[in-house]
Amino acid sequence: MSFKQVVEATPRVNRSELAVPGSSPHMFEKAARSAADVVFLDLEDAVAPDMKEEARRNVIEAINDIDWGDKTLSVRINGLDTPYMYRDVVDLLERCSERLDLIMIPKVGTAADVYTVDCLVTQIETAKGRKKRVGFELIIETALGMQNVHEIAAASPRNESLHFGVADYAASVRARTVKIGGVHPDYGVLTDPDAQGERAFFWADPWHYAIARMVVAARANGLRPVDGPFGDIRDPDGYRAAAKRAAVLGCEGKWAIHPSQIALANEVFSPSPQEVERARRILEAMEQAKREGKGAVSLDGRLIDIASIRQAQALVAKAEQIARLEGGD
Ligand code: GLV
Ligand code: MG
């Protein structure tokens, strides 16, 4: 291990993150009763310019009045390039109860963007005597943000998670697609002809590099990487496949832009009972090896070593965290 210690952000279960437009208050109660781990009330792109003020009022009222149970509660503010952002931050921090857990900052481009919001939030928290420190979720969804993702991830002790905003990212890098996430028929690999002259085309994941890069920046700074939206709400299999790819790359969860996607995310990002059982057996086998003075042992015909212990410990810790949330303690 490096001498540098990575400090982990406040631990939270973040399998499913439900997006709810701030201009649709009729959806709030249902969101509060849903199985989403995190709910973010949106003041940004789901809200039309002439609804911004009303949405802000709705969101503040909802945070103060609705019983959100043990959900993590976040608000997506408007971007730093808009005339709404400062008022979003001031009103949220001055008027919301301490039930507000996180602020989500969209289209972060540089570490200074995070610094600016941190400065404002810190002033208001101090002036108002707020006890709970509000954390930050940062959306990486521009070429500039991706270029600076490592500095952004390290920009504030409030940072908790990085999110891949595939729709804006695609627009920013001028990717040839108008879909929100998922695959594309032009993005794949054509094999050379086999003995019969047959060629196969394998679709690949256009977002692999971007998600993997964000995951590295997040993990190197103790943050949770979270995959963003999947637009086709009538394609649960496509959603599940995208979520699984993100999970394999290290993400802890995925957005749900429709309530039907919540259960899919919770399913994909929860370790299965078999995985947890195997992880526990790895930890037991290593304990046994330690007692016997051995460095590495095999379990079910496969070598396990100290790295396997770290993987197993992370998996068991995650399973316990989820069990605590679902058990309600
Ligand atoms: C999310 O904000 C996205 O742009 O995908
Ligand atoms: Mg976006």
Side-chain angles (χ1 to χ4, degrees):
M1 284 292 187
S2 166
F3 183 62
K4 181 174 162 64
Q5 295 290 308
V6 174
V7 181
E8 296 290 327
T10 309
R12 297 181 195 274
V13 178
N14 206 159
R15 296 166 301 175
S16 49
E17 177 135 359
L18 179 66
V20 185
S23 46
S24 306
H26 62 282
M27 295 180 175
F28 293 171
E29 288 280 358
K30 194 172 166 209
R33 288 193 311 271
S34 75
D37 295 331
V38 183
V39 170
F40 82 79
L41 303 173
D42 193 10
L43 300 178
E44 200 221 13
D45 280 357
V47 177
D50 61 343
M51 294 292 284
K52 293 287 185 193
E53 293 197 0
E54 189 179 320
R56 198 185 288 133
R57 282 195 299 273
N58 294 340
V59 162
I60 292 167
E61 206 176 290
I63 290 170
N64 294 343
D65 295 350
I66 290 180
D67 176 3
W68 294 93
D70 47 18
K71 284 199 182 338
T72 293
L73 195 51
S74 180
V75 177
R76 178 161 76 169
I77 60 172
N78 287 283
L80 279 84
D81 58 328
T82 71
Y84 314 113
M85 184 282 283
Y86 82 98
R87 181 55 62 197
D88 290 343
V89 176
V90 171
D91 283 5
L92 285 170
L93 270 287
E94 285 194 349
R95 296 176 42 205
C96 282
S97 70
E98 305 253 347
R99 187 61 189 77
L100 177 67
D101 295 305
L102 303 169
I103 283 182
M104 176 183 264
I105 312 175
K107 301 182 183 69
V108 177
T110 67
D113 287 344
V114 181
Y115 188 86
T116 302
V117 181
D118 191 356
C119 173
L120 197 52
V121 168
T122 302
Q123 286 204 17
I124 305 169
E125 276 183 354
T126 311
K128 292 288 162 188
R130 289 178 73 92
K131 293 192 185 56
K132 192 168 95 181
R133 183 175 81 175
V134 165
F136 287 167
E137 308 186 282
L138 312 173
I139 316 184
I140 304 300
E141 51 183 343
T142 60
L144 184 64
M146 193 58 83
Q147 171 170 274
N148 295 320
V149 66
H150 290 268
E151 290 80 17
I152 289 169
S156 166
R158 294 179 187 275
N159 290 358
E160 290 201 13
S161 53
L162 299 184
H163 300 246
F164 180 55
V166 65
D168 275 302
Y169 184 79
S172 174
V173 301
R174 316 273 200 280
R176 194 191 274 179
T177 178
V178 287
K179 280 170 62 177
I180 300 182
V183 286
H184 190 285
D186 285 351
Y187 195 83
V189 179
L190 183 66
T191 65
D192 285 346
D194 62 15
Q196 283 72 44
E198 299 290 333
R199 307 185 76 175
F201 182 77
F202 296 106
W203 293 40
D205 181 1
W207 314 114
H208 174 94
Y209 164 77
I211 295 176
R213 184 167 172 178
M214 179 194 77
V215 168
V216 172
R219 294 298 186 194
N221 289 281
L223 314 183
R224 293 182 294 279
V226 178
D227 191 20
F230 183 85
D232 190 349
I233 57 176
R234 294 150 314 165
D235 182 11
D237 292 341
Y239 180 98
R240 207 183 267 110
K244 283 184 176 177
R245 289 196 299 274
V248 170
L249 292 178
C251 286
E252 294 210 8
K254 184 164 174 61
W255 288 15
I257 57 167
H258 185 268
S260 64
Q261 295 178 333
I262 298 170
L264 303 173
N266 287 351
E267 171 201 314
V268 171
F269 291 98
S270 302
S272 70
Q274 294 80 352
E275 283 175 297
V276 178
E277 159 69 12
R278 183 168 161 79
R280 289 195 200 281
R281 287 176 59 222
I282 289 175
L283 296 180
E284 278 158 26
M286 288 306 289
E287 271 305 313
Q288 169 101 17
K290 207 158 85 188
R291 282 196 295 273
E292 294 169 3
K294 296 185 199 154
V297 283
S298 70
L299 182 70
D300 305 334
R302 290 198 192 185
L303 186 73
I304 50 173
D305 62 9
I306 305 288
S308 321
I309 300 195
R310 280 193 286 273
Q311 290 174 339
Q313 280 170 335
L315 202 133
V316 169
K318 172 94 170 284
E320 285 172 355
Q321 209 183 20
I322 293 168
R324 272 197 302 279
L325 180 81
E326 292 186 337
D329 2 311

